[in-house]
Amino acid sequence: MAPSLLYPATQLPPASALALSQQAPAVLRSSPATVSSSPLSALFSAPEKPELWIKYENLILSCLRTGDDQAAHQCLERLVARFGNGNERVQALRGLVKEAEAQDDSALEEVLKEYEQILAENDTNIPIAKRRIALLRSMGRVSDAASALVQLLEFSPTDAEAWSELSDIYLSQGLYPQAIYAMEEVLLLAPNAWNIHARLGELQFMAATAPGVAGGSYQKYMAEAIKRFARSVELCDDYLRGYYGLKLVCKTLLSGGSNKTAKQTDDEFAIPDTRNTERLNELATAKLSEIVRHSTARDQGWRGYDEAEIAAARQLLSDDVAASSAIER
Amino acid sequence: MTWISKSITTLGGLLLAHACYSAREHSALQSLRAASAASLTSLPSVTTSLPLDIIIETIVATFIILLGLVLGTRPLRPIEWRVWAGKIEREGEEGFIDGAGEVNKDYMGNPFSALESRPNFVDIRKQRREFAEWVKKGG
């Protein structure tokens, strides 16, 4: 079954994107080609639904991804007919189509120039500013993208999506402290986002296990990672990603952490003692195996998990079993 | 489940209608008797209340309707954040299907997933390349 067209489709697997873009002709046929925005005609025709425009937007994304440029153009035309050329979101979508169709670097430079022209007229056009940053990053000019993004964030510091992108850019450059800082800003704006807590835990774990980390900051990162993963499973029952991270961190601490133990100086970042770590590890193992068992059996009410995530959890659990049986031998 | 609640509500409605009709008939009869008695004896008419069985029928009918309506409501959403979030993660769309077999309109998965997928910053050229490779591999 193809996923619904009402959610943004940027992280779907290729097969679902293909299924979505194959819906394009049906959606285009079943909805009217133009919808008038005048209030008078709205009295006589069926009311327009906001879902339709969201569908068009998501269709453009999946069609561009699968290379169905014609359908993307049709969707874009309808959006232009309804909202006009000056609409900021429509401008960004138009830019997106041009980016996707650009054949070489000079065409991309053209698109970039267009973005800069629009921004010169109106530098509060946030969708276009975001597209420009994404294009810069896509062209490999990562430092330009980062500085543009920092500028954007100075101008609108409550944009959680932009902070998250900044964190991703820093992470791609290996700048873990900066990436963690940006992700913490996201958490300030969305304190209940369980996936962001898990993401921050992953960042802390990556920072801790990166080569060349001093003992003190290793401890700090690991303690923070435990805290973040624990918070994510506190915010969300049976959160596979949170328990996976929790187990991974505890396992690393229990197996190899002892040789890196430095004197604990800061009470705030104290790693829980070995007994508590073991108990956390046991809890995470029990939860993970419960999730894997139910999900593998396709039990009612346990079918929402991602296949790949379940496979990874199974792998982690079997590694654990293999290691413990090796110790017993 | 829906047909149980609907039939109970209908039954309650019938009972209530019956009670109303009985009450009306009763009062019409009473006024007729009072009028005839007044013309015969010129005594002041006695105000009479409804008989007990009609009152009980009305109350019982109301409660039966209430029961039917309560049985017919959609399952309530979890109040606690972690239960609700866990339901989204564990059950996905399946947990939010209403009586008609359609996914609830306001269901949107994890509302914070956009913070990680960042649709406004999408790198469309990379996605195109990856998709083309996936097709080449034989999809």
PDB file of all heavy atoms in Angstrom, chain A residues 10 64 108 131 138 161 164-165 168 194 235 237-238 241 301 303-304, chain B residues 81-82 86 89-91 94 112 115-116 118 120 122-123 125 127-128:
ATOM      1  N   THR A  10       9.876  13.017   2.094  1.00  0.00           N
ATOM      2  CA  THR A  10      11.293  13.139   1.774  1.00  0.00           C
ATOM      3  C   THR A  10      12.106  11.944   2.214  1.00  0.00           C
ATOM      4  O   THR A  10      13.167  11.709   1.684  1.00  0.00           O
ATOM      5  CB  THR A  10      11.875  14.400   2.416  1.00  0.00           C
ATOM      6  OG1 THR A  10      11.344  14.500   3.727  1.00  0.00           O
ATOM      7  CG2 THR A  10      11.515  15.612   1.626  1.00  0.00           C
ATOM      8  N   LEU A  64       9.455  14.492  -8.832  1.00  0.00           N
ATOM      9  CA  LEU A  64      10.799  14.921  -9.194  1.00  0.00           C
ATOM     10  C   LEU A  64      11.801  13.838  -8.843  1.00  0.00           C
ATOM     11  O   LEU A  64      12.763  13.595  -9.564  1.00  0.00           O
ATOM     12  CB  LEU A  64      11.163  16.213  -8.456  1.00  0.00           C
ATOM     13  CG  LEU A  64      10.488  17.467  -8.972  1.00  0.00           C
ATOM     14  CD1 LEU A  64      10.939  18.652  -8.166  1.00  0.00           C
ATOM     15  CD2 LEU A  64      10.822  17.684 -10.436  1.00  0.00           C
ATOM     16  N   LEU A 108      22.901  25.111 -12.542  1.00  0.00           N
ATOM     17  CA  LEU A 108      22.694  25.269 -11.106  1.00  0.00           C
ATOM     18  C   LEU A 108      23.074  26.678 -10.657  1.00  0.00           C
ATOM     19  O   LEU A 108      22.397  27.287  -9.822  1.00  0.00           O
ATOM     20  CB  LEU A 108      23.525  24.243 -10.345  1.00  0.00           C
ATOM     21  CG  LEU A 108      22.985  22.823 -10.348  1.00  0.00           C
ATOM     22  CD1 LEU A 108      23.935  21.919  -9.597  1.00  0.00           C
ATOM     23  CD2 LEU A 108      21.617  22.778  -9.709  1.00  0.00           C
ATOM     24  N   ARG A 131      15.908  27.088   0.392  1.00  0.00           N
ATOM     25  CA  ARG A 131      16.283  26.414  -0.853  1.00  0.00           C
ATOM     26  C   ARG A 131      17.714  26.771  -1.234  1.00  0.00           C
ATOM     27  O   ARG A 131      18.472  25.933  -1.701  1.00  0.00           O
ATOM     28  CB  ARG A 131      15.360  26.817  -2.011  1.00  0.00           C
ATOM     29  CG  ARG A 131      14.019  26.228  -2.088  1.00  0.00           C
ATOM     30  CD  ARG A 131      13.885  24.757  -2.305  1.00  0.00           C
ATOM     31  NE  ARG A 131      15.029  24.017  -2.782  1.00  0.00           N
ATOM     32  CZ  ARG A 131      15.377  22.843  -2.287  1.00  0.00           C
ATOM     33  NH1 ARG A 131      14.706  22.299  -1.311  1.00  0.00           N
ATOM     34  NH2 ARG A 131      16.389  22.201  -2.768  1.00  0.00           N
ATOM     35  N   SER A 138      24.136  21.118  -1.655  1.00  0.00           N
ATOM     36  CA  SER A 138      24.107  20.093  -2.680  1.00  0.00           C
ATOM     37  C   SER A 138      25.237  20.273  -3.682  1.00  0.00           C
ATOM     38  O   SER A 138      25.738  19.310  -4.253  1.00  0.00           O
ATOM     39  CB  SER A 138      22.753  20.138  -3.375  1.00  0.00           C
ATOM     40  OG  SER A 138      22.783  19.415  -4.555  1.00  0.00           O
ATOM     41  N   GLU A 161      13.424  23.560  12.291  1.00  0.00           N
ATOM     42  CA  GLU A 161      13.910  22.806  11.138  1.00  0.00           C
ATOM     43  C   GLU A 161      15.298  23.285  10.717  1.00  0.00           C
ATOM     44  O   GLU A 161      16.177  22.492  10.400  1.00  0.00           O
ATOM     45  CB  GLU A 161      12.919  22.975   9.993  1.00  0.00           C
ATOM     46  CG  GLU A 161      13.133  22.015   8.868  1.00  0.00           C
ATOM     47  CD  GLU A 161      12.302  22.379   7.658  1.00  0.00           C
ATOM     48  OE1 GLU A 161      11.781  23.508   7.596  1.00  0.00           O
ATOM     49  OE2 GLU A 161      12.180  21.535   6.770  1.00  0.00           O
ATOM     50  N   SER A 164      17.917  22.078  13.020  1.00  0.00           N
ATOM     51  CA  SER A 164      18.184  20.667  12.775  1.00  0.00           C
ATOM     52  C   SER A 164      19.076  20.494  11.552  1.00  0.00           C
ATOM     53  O   SER A 164      20.000  19.671  11.550  1.00  0.00           O
ATOM     54  CB  SER A 164      16.851  19.950  12.606  1.00  0.00           C
ATOM     55  OG  SER A 164      17.034  18.662  12.167  1.00  0.00           O
ATOM     56  N   GLU A 165      18.826  21.305  10.519  1.00  0.00           N
ATOM     57  CA  GLU A 165      19.681  21.239   9.326  1.00  0.00           C
ATOM     58  C   GLU A 165      21.108  21.667   9.667  1.00  0.00           C
ATOM     59  O   GLU A 165      22.071  21.043   9.218  1.00  0.00           O
ATOM     60  CB  GLU A 165      19.094  22.153   8.240  1.00  0.00           C
ATOM     61  CG  GLU A 165      19.925  22.278   6.977  1.00  0.00           C
ATOM     62  CD  GLU A 165      19.820  21.048   6.089  1.00  0.00           C
ATOM     63  OE1 GLU A 165      18.938  20.219   6.337  1.00  0.00           O
ATOM     64  OE2 GLU A 165      20.635  20.935   5.158  1.00  0.00           O
ATOM     65  N   ASP A 168      22.896  18.934  11.215  1.00  0.00           N
ATOM     66  CA  ASP A 168      23.273  17.917  10.243  1.00  0.00           C
ATOM     67  C   ASP A 168      24.498  18.353   9.449  1.00  0.00           C
ATOM     68  O   ASP A 168      25.390  17.542   9.174  1.00  0.00           O
ATOM     69  CB  ASP A 168      22.087  17.667   9.314  1.00  0.00           C
ATOM     70  CG  ASP A 168      22.194  16.326   8.632  1.00  0.00           C
ATOM     71  OD1 ASP A 168      22.368  15.340   9.349  1.00  0.00           O
ATOM     72  OD2 ASP A 168      22.120  16.280   7.398  1.00  0.00           O
ATOM     73  N   TRP A 194      10.266  13.113  20.914  1.00  0.00           N
ATOM     74  CA  TRP A 194      11.038  11.956  21.369  1.00  0.00           C
ATOM     75  C   TRP A 194      12.096  11.553  20.369  1.00  0.00           C
ATOM     76  O   TRP A 194      13.166  11.089  20.754  1.00  0.00           O
ATOM     77  CB  TRP A 194      10.107  10.801  21.715  1.00  0.00           C
ATOM     78  CG  TRP A 194       9.209  10.327  20.618  1.00  0.00           C
ATOM     79  CD1 TRP A 194       9.440   9.292  19.783  1.00  0.00           C
ATOM     80  CD2 TRP A 194       7.920  10.835  20.270  1.00  0.00           C
ATOM     81  NE1 TRP A 194       8.382   9.141  18.929  1.00  0.00           N
ATOM     82  CE2 TRP A 194       7.439  10.059  19.194  1.00  0.00           C
ATOM     83  CE3 TRP A 194       7.123  11.867  20.755  1.00  0.00           C
ATOM     84  CZ2 TRP A 194       6.208  10.284  18.593  1.00  0.00           C
ATOM     85  CZ3 TRP A 194       5.897  12.086  20.158  1.00  0.00           C
ATOM     86  CH2 TRP A 194       5.454  11.308  19.096  1.00  0.00           C
ATOM     87  N   LEU A 235       9.469   9.485  27.101  1.00  0.00           N
ATOM     88  CA  LEU A 235       8.447  10.236  26.370  1.00  0.00           C
ATOM     89  C   LEU A 235       7.626   9.339  25.456  1.00  0.00           C
ATOM     90  O   LEU A 235       6.583   9.754  24.968  1.00  0.00           O
ATOM     91  CB  LEU A 235       9.105  11.325  25.516  1.00  0.00           C
ATOM     92  CG  LEU A 235       9.504  12.581  26.239  1.00  0.00           C
ATOM     93  CD1 LEU A 235      10.382  13.427  25.348  1.00  0.00           C
ATOM     94  CD2 LEU A 235       8.282  13.362  26.631  1.00  0.00           C
ATOM     95  N   ASP A 237       6.477   5.204  24.920  1.00  0.00           N
ATOM     96  CA  ASP A 237       6.514   3.781  25.281  1.00  0.00           C
ATOM     97  C   ASP A 237       7.011   2.958  24.105  1.00  0.00           C
ATOM     98  O   ASP A 237       6.674   3.239  22.958  1.00  0.00           O
ATOM     99  CB  ASP A 237       5.094   3.301  25.611  1.00  0.00           C
ATOM    100  CG  ASP A 237       4.680   3.727  26.994  1.00  0.00           C
ATOM    101  OD1 ASP A 237       5.542   4.229  27.711  1.00  0.00           O
ATOM    102  OD2 ASP A 237       3.496   3.570  27.335  1.00  0.00           O
ATOM    103  N   ASP A 238       7.771   1.914  24.394  1.00  0.00           N
ATOM    104  CA  ASP A 238       8.204   0.956  23.369  1.00  0.00           C
ATOM    105  C   ASP A 238       8.862   1.648  22.177  1.00  0.00           C
ATOM    106  O   ASP A 238       8.576   1.320  21.033  1.00  0.00           O
ATOM    107  CB  ASP A 238       7.016   0.117  22.854  1.00  0.00           C
ATOM    108  CG  ASP A 238       6.349  -0.641  23.973  1.00  0.00           C
ATOM    109  OD1 ASP A 238       7.085  -1.166  24.807  1.00  0.00           O
ATOM    110  OD2 ASP A 238       5.109  -0.689  24.010  1.00  0.00           O
ATOM    111  N   ARG A 241      13.968   2.921  18.727  1.00  0.00           N
ATOM    112  CA  ARG A 241      15.220   3.633  18.522  1.00  0.00           C
ATOM    113  C   ARG A 241      15.851   4.033  19.852  1.00  0.00           C
ATOM    114  O   ARG A 241      17.067   3.908  20.048  1.00  0.00           O
ATOM    115  CB  ARG A 241      14.906   4.868  17.687  1.00  0.00           C
ATOM    116  CG  ARG A 241      16.094   5.623  17.205  1.00  0.00           C
ATOM    117  CD  ARG A 241      15.589   6.665  16.232  1.00  0.00           C
ATOM    118  NE  ARG A 241      16.563   7.705  16.024  1.00  0.00           N
ATOM    119  CZ  ARG A 241      16.292   8.834  15.391  1.00  0.00           C
ATOM    120  NH1 ARG A 241      15.066   9.026  14.932  1.00  0.00           N
ATOM    121  NH2 ARG A 241      17.204   9.744  15.213  1.00  0.00           N
ATOM    122  N   GLY A 301      -1.277  -4.758  16.507  1.00  0.00           N
ATOM    123  CA  GLY A 301      -0.843  -3.610  17.282  1.00  0.00           C
ATOM    124  C   GLY A 301       0.655  -3.471  17.410  1.00  0.00           C
ATOM    125  O   GLY A 301       1.126  -2.648  18.176  1.00  0.00           O
ATOM    126  N   ARG A 303       2.646  -3.506  14.410  1.00  0.00           N
ATOM    127  CA  ARG A 303       3.099  -3.541  13.010  1.00  0.00           C
ATOM    128  C   ARG A 303       3.627  -2.206  12.523  1.00  0.00           C
ATOM    129  O   ARG A 303       3.849  -2.029  11.346  1.00  0.00           O
ATOM    130  CB  ARG A 303       1.939  -3.982  12.116  1.00  0.00           C
ATOM    131  CG  ARG A 303       1.561  -5.416  12.364  1.00  0.00           C
ATOM    132  CD  ARG A 303       0.413  -5.821  11.510  1.00  0.00           C
ATOM    133  NE  ARG A 303      -0.310  -6.932  12.112  1.00  0.00           N
ATOM    134  CZ  ARG A 303      -1.558  -7.235  11.843  1.00  0.00           C
ATOM    135  NH1 ARG A 303      -2.234  -6.494  10.990  1.00  0.00           N
ATOM    136  NH2 ARG A 303      -2.157  -8.244  12.418  1.00  0.00           N
ATOM    137  N   GLY A 304       3.783  -1.258  13.428  1.00  0.00           N
ATOM    138  CA  GLY A 304       4.190   0.073  12.973  1.00  0.00           C
ATOM    139  C   GLY A 304       5.684   0.236  12.797  1.00  0.00           C
ATOM    140  O   GLY A 304       6.129   1.259  12.315  1.00  0.00           O
TER     141      GLY A 304
ATOM    142  N   TRP B  81       1.138  11.437  27.319  1.00  0.00           N
ATOM    143  CA  TRP B  81       1.954  11.661  26.129  1.00  0.00           C
ATOM    144  C   TRP B  81       2.693  10.396  25.712  1.00  0.00           C
ATOM    145  O   TRP B  81       2.708  10.009  24.539  1.00  0.00           O
ATOM    146  CB  TRP B  81       2.949  12.797  26.421  1.00  0.00           C
ATOM    147  CG  TRP B  81       3.835  13.114  25.268  1.00  0.00           C
ATOM    148  CD1 TRP B  81       4.945  12.445  24.881  1.00  0.00           C
ATOM    149  CD2 TRP B  81       3.646  14.171  24.329  1.00  0.00           C
ATOM    150  NE1 TRP B  81       5.481  13.023  23.768  1.00  0.00           N
ATOM    151  CE2 TRP B  81       4.708  14.092  23.414  1.00  0.00           C
ATOM    152  CE3 TRP B  81       2.716  15.188  24.183  1.00  0.00           C
ATOM    153  CZ2 TRP B  81       4.846  14.980  22.364  1.00  0.00           C
ATOM    154  CZ3 TRP B  81       2.863  16.067  23.137  1.00  0.00           C
ATOM    155  CH2 TRP B  81       3.906  15.964  22.242  1.00  0.00           C
ATOM    156  N   ARG B  82       3.290   9.709  26.705  1.00  0.00           N
ATOM    157  CA  ARG B  82       4.142   8.567  26.330  1.00  0.00           C
ATOM    158  C   ARG B  82       3.301   7.425  25.772  1.00  0.00           C
ATOM    159  O   ARG B  82       3.745   6.710  24.875  1.00  0.00           O
ATOM    160  CB  ARG B  82       4.963   8.107  27.522  1.00  0.00           C
ATOM    161  CG  ARG B  82       4.147   7.667  28.684  1.00  0.00           C
ATOM    162  CD  ARG B  82       4.994   7.265  29.873  1.00  0.00           C
ATOM    163  NE  ARG B  82       4.100   6.842  30.927  1.00  0.00           N
ATOM    164  CZ  ARG B  82       3.589   5.634  30.990  1.00  0.00           C
ATOM    165  NH1 ARG B  82       3.899   4.738  30.080  1.00  0.00           N
ATOM    166  NH2 ARG B  82       2.761   5.314  31.954  1.00  0.00           N
ATOM    167  N   GLY B  86       3.823   6.143  22.124  1.00  0.00           N
ATOM    168  CA  GLY B  86       4.123   4.737  21.946  1.00  0.00           C
ATOM    169  C   GLY B  86       3.168   4.083  20.969  1.00  0.00           C
ATOM    170  O   GLY B  86       3.549   3.241  20.174  1.00  0.00           O
ATOM    171  N   GLU B  89       4.300   4.876  17.503  1.00  0.00           N
ATOM    172  CA  GLU B  89       5.493   4.127  17.094  1.00  0.00           C
ATOM    173  C   GLU B  89       5.167   2.652  16.893  1.00  0.00           C
ATOM    174  O   GLU B  89       5.658   2.017  15.973  1.00  0.00           O
ATOM    175  CB  GLU B  89       6.585   4.257  18.163  1.00  0.00           C
ATOM    176  CG  GLU B  89       7.226   5.621  18.221  1.00  0.00           C
ATOM    177  CD  GLU B  89       8.070   5.916  17.005  1.00  0.00           C
ATOM    178  OE1 GLU B  89       8.606   4.968  16.412  1.00  0.00           O
ATOM    179  OE2 GLU B  89       8.178   7.095  16.641  1.00  0.00           O
ATOM    180  N   ARG B  90       4.338   2.103  17.804  1.00  0.00           N
ATOM    181  CA  ARG B  90       4.133   0.670  17.811  1.00  0.00           C
ATOM    182  C   ARG B  90       3.154   0.235  16.724  1.00  0.00           C
ATOM    183  O   ARG B  90       3.353  -0.745  16.054  1.00  0.00           O
ATOM    184  CB  ARG B  90       3.607   0.260  19.179  1.00  0.00           C
ATOM    185  CG  ARG B  90       3.682  -1.209  19.460  1.00  0.00           C
ATOM    186  CD  ARG B  90       3.407  -1.457  20.928  1.00  0.00           C
ATOM    187  NE  ARG B  90       2.205  -0.780  21.355  1.00  0.00           N
ATOM    188  CZ  ARG B  90       2.150   0.106  22.333  1.00  0.00           C
ATOM    189  NH1 ARG B  90       3.232   0.420  22.982  1.00  0.00           N
ATOM    190  NH2 ARG B  90       1.035   0.702  22.652  1.00  0.00           N
ATOM    191  N   GLU B  91       2.068   1.007  16.588  1.00  0.00           N
ATOM    192  CA  GLU B  91       0.997   0.546  15.703  1.00  0.00           C
ATOM    193  C   GLU B  91       0.994   1.247  14.358  1.00  0.00           C
ATOM    194  O   GLU B  91       0.414   0.757  13.406  1.00  0.00           O
ATOM    195  CB  GLU B  91      -0.354   0.748  16.387  1.00  0.00           C
ATOM    196  CG  GLU B  91      -0.412   0.042  17.726  1.00  0.00           C
ATOM    197  CD  GLU B  91      -1.758   0.179  18.375  1.00  0.00           C
ATOM    198  OE1 GLU B  91      -2.729   0.468  17.666  1.00  0.00           O
ATOM    199  OE2 GLU B  91      -1.837   0.019  19.595  1.00  0.00           O
ATOM    200  N   GLU B  94      -2.244   1.727  11.694  1.00  0.00           N
ATOM    201  CA  GLU B  94      -3.275   0.775  12.090  1.00  0.00           C
ATOM    202  C   GLU B  94      -3.976   1.167  13.370  1.00  0.00           C
ATOM    203  O   GLU B  94      -5.150   0.861  13.565  1.00  0.00           O
ATOM    204  CB  GLU B  94      -2.652  -0.600  12.275  1.00  0.00           C
ATOM    205  CG  GLU B  94      -2.637  -1.405  11.019  1.00  0.00           C
ATOM    206  CD  GLU B  94      -2.155  -2.812  11.284  1.00  0.00           C
ATOM    207  OE1 GLU B  94      -2.077  -3.210  12.449  1.00  0.00           O
ATOM    208  OE2 GLU B  94      -1.851  -3.482  10.302  1.00  0.00           O
ATOM    209  N   PHE B 112       6.872  15.106  14.919  1.00  0.00           N
ATOM    210  CA  PHE B 112       8.192  15.736  14.920  1.00  0.00           C
ATOM    211  C   PHE B 112       9.124  15.130  13.883  1.00  0.00           C
ATOM    212  O   PHE B 112      10.292  15.484  13.844  1.00  0.00           O
ATOM    213  CB  PHE B 112       8.829  15.614  16.303  1.00  0.00           C
ATOM    214  CG  PHE B 112       8.008  16.235  17.381  1.00  0.00           C
ATOM    215  CD1 PHE B 112       7.332  15.471  18.300  1.00  0.00           C
ATOM    216  CD2 PHE B 112       7.895  17.614  17.460  1.00  0.00           C
ATOM    217  CE1 PHE B 112       6.566  16.051  19.280  1.00  0.00           C
ATOM    218  CE2 PHE B 112       7.126  18.193  18.434  1.00  0.00           C
ATOM    219  CZ  PHE B 112       6.463  17.425  19.353  1.00  0.00           C
ATOM    220  N   LEU B 115      11.180  17.357  11.658  1.00  0.00           N
ATOM    221  CA  LEU B 115      12.403  17.996  12.152  1.00  0.00           C
ATOM    222  C   LEU B 115      13.632  17.207  11.744  1.00  0.00           C
ATOM    223  O   LEU B 115      14.736  17.738  11.734  1.00  0.00           O
ATOM    224  CB  LEU B 115      12.360  18.097  13.676  1.00  0.00           C
ATOM    225  CG  LEU B 115      11.400  19.128  14.233  1.00  0.00           C
ATOM    226  CD1 LEU B 115      11.474  19.145  15.743  1.00  0.00           C
ATOM    227  CD2 LEU B 115      11.737  20.493  13.689  1.00  0.00           C
ATOM    228  N   GLU B 116      13.436  15.945  11.426  1.00  0.00           N
ATOM    229  CA  GLU B 116      14.581  15.156  10.988  1.00  0.00           C
ATOM    230  C   GLU B 116      14.633  15.006   9.473  1.00  0.00           C
ATOM    231  O   GLU B 116      15.704  14.905   8.908  1.00  0.00           O
ATOM    232  CB  GLU B 116      14.530  13.776  11.634  1.00  0.00           C
ATOM    233  CG  GLU B 116      15.148  13.788  12.993  1.00  0.00           C
ATOM    234  CD  GLU B 116      15.370  12.385  13.476  1.00  0.00           C
ATOM    235  OE1 GLU B 116      14.397  11.711  13.838  1.00  0.00           O
ATOM    236  OE2 GLU B 116      16.516  11.958  13.474  1.00  0.00           O
ATOM    237  N   ARG B 118      13.281  17.241   7.356  1.00  0.00           N
ATOM    238  CA  ARG B 118      13.515  18.613   6.889  1.00  0.00           C
ATOM    239  C   ARG B 118      13.101  18.809   5.429  1.00  0.00           C
ATOM    240  O   ARG B 118      13.929  19.034   4.557  1.00  0.00           O
ATOM    241  CB  ARG B 118      14.983  18.990   7.065  1.00  0.00           C
ATOM    242  CG  ARG B 118      15.452  18.906   8.500  1.00  0.00           C
ATOM    243  CD  ARG B 118      16.855  19.399   8.602  1.00  0.00           C
ATOM    244  NE  ARG B 118      17.767  18.565   7.848  1.00  0.00           N
ATOM    245  CZ  ARG B 118      18.327  17.463   8.326  1.00  0.00           C
ATOM    246  NH1 ARG B 118      18.106  17.087   9.549  1.00  0.00           N
ATOM    247  NH2 ARG B 118      19.128  16.758   7.576  1.00  0.00           N
ATOM    248  N   ASN B 120      11.912  21.233   3.789  1.00  0.00           N
ATOM    249  CA  ASN B 120      12.251  22.483   3.113  1.00  0.00           C
ATOM    250  C   ASN B 120      13.703  22.532   2.660  1.00  0.00           C
ATOM    251  O   ASN B 120      14.076  23.394   1.886  1.00  0.00           O
ATOM    252  CB  ASN B 120      11.981  23.676   4.026  1.00  0.00           C
ATOM    253  CG  ASN B 120      10.513  23.967   4.118  1.00  0.00           C
ATOM    254  OD1 ASN B 120       9.775  23.719   3.177  1.00  0.00           O
ATOM    255  ND2 ASN B 120      10.073  24.456   5.256  1.00  0.00           N
ATOM    256  N   VAL B 122      15.254  19.867   1.306  1.00  0.00           N
ATOM    257  CA  VAL B 122      15.497  18.607   0.606  1.00  0.00           C
ATOM    258  C   VAL B 122      16.508  18.800  -0.534  1.00  0.00           C
ATOM    259  O   VAL B 122      16.480  19.804  -1.248  1.00  0.00           O
ATOM    260  CB  VAL B 122      14.170  18.045   0.072  1.00  0.00           C
ATOM    261  CG1 VAL B 122      13.511  19.015  -0.866  1.00  0.00           C
ATOM    262  CG2 VAL B 122      14.385  16.734  -0.619  1.00  0.00           C
ATOM    263  N   ASP B 123      17.448  17.844  -0.636  1.00  0.00           N
ATOM    264  CA  ASP B 123      18.448  17.870  -1.704  1.00  0.00           C
ATOM    265  C   ASP B 123      17.907  17.008  -2.837  1.00  0.00           C
ATOM    266  O   ASP B 123      18.137  15.809  -2.902  1.00  0.00           O
ATOM    267  CB  ASP B 123      19.768  17.317  -1.174  1.00  0.00           C
ATOM    268  CG  ASP B 123      20.868  17.419  -2.214  1.00  0.00           C
ATOM    269  OD1 ASP B 123      20.534  17.779  -3.360  1.00  0.00           O
ATOM    270  OD2 ASP B 123      22.018  17.136  -1.886  1.00  0.00           O
ATOM    271  N   ARG B 125      18.496  16.771  -5.989  1.00  0.00           N
ATOM    272  CA  ARG B 125      19.365  16.126  -6.988  1.00  0.00           C
ATOM    273  C   ARG B 125      19.932  14.832  -6.450  1.00  0.00           C
ATOM    274  O   ARG B 125      20.044  13.833  -7.156  1.00  0.00           O
ATOM    275  CB  ARG B 125      20.489  17.075  -7.370  1.00  0.00           C
ATOM    276  CG  ARG B 125      19.951  18.339  -8.039  1.00  0.00           C
ATOM    277  CD  ARG B 125      21.045  19.116  -8.684  1.00  0.00           C
ATOM    278  NE  ARG B 125      22.140  19.372  -7.776  1.00  0.00           N
ATOM    279  CZ  ARG B 125      23.410  19.226  -8.088  1.00  0.00           C
ATOM    280  NH1 ARG B 125      23.732  18.827  -9.294  1.00  0.00           N
ATOM    281  NH2 ARG B 125      24.366  19.472  -7.222  1.00  0.00           N
ATOM    282  N   GLN B 127      18.473  12.949  -4.221  1.00  0.00           N
ATOM    283  CA  GLN B 127      17.390  11.978  -4.194  1.00  0.00           C
ATOM    284  C   GLN B 127      17.162  11.382  -5.571  1.00  0.00           C
ATOM    285  O   GLN B 127      16.895  10.195  -5.717  1.00  0.00           O
ATOM    286  CB  GLN B 127      16.112  12.664  -3.718  1.00  0.00           C
ATOM    287  CG  GLN B 127      16.128  12.958  -2.241  1.00  0.00           C
ATOM    288  CD  GLN B 127      14.736  13.033  -1.686  1.00  0.00           C
ATOM    289  OE1 GLN B 127      13.790  13.361  -2.395  1.00  0.00           O
ATOM    290  NE2 GLN B 127      14.597  12.751  -0.420  1.00  0.00           N
ATOM    291  N   ARG B 128      17.280  12.234  -6.588  1.00  0.00           N
ATOM    292  CA  ARG B 128      17.103  11.741  -7.960  1.00  0.00           C
ATOM    293  C   ARG B 128      18.166  10.718  -8.311  1.00  0.00           C
ATOM    294  O   ARG B 128      17.884   9.662  -8.881  1.00  0.00           O
ATOM    295  CB  ARG B 128      17.216  12.917  -8.935  1.00  0.00           C
ATOM    296  CG  ARG B 128      15.930  13.364  -9.533  1.00  0.00           C
ATOM    297  CD  ARG B 128      16.187  14.682 -10.193  1.00  0.00           C
ATOM    298  NE  ARG B 128      16.052  14.599 -11.632  1.00  0.00           N
ATOM    299  CZ  ARG B 128      14.918  14.838 -12.270  1.00  0.00           C
ATOM    300  NH1 ARG B 128      13.838  15.121 -11.592  1.00  0.00           N
ATOM    301  NH2 ARG B 128      14.853  14.796 -13.571  1.00  0.00           N
TER     302      ARG B 128
END
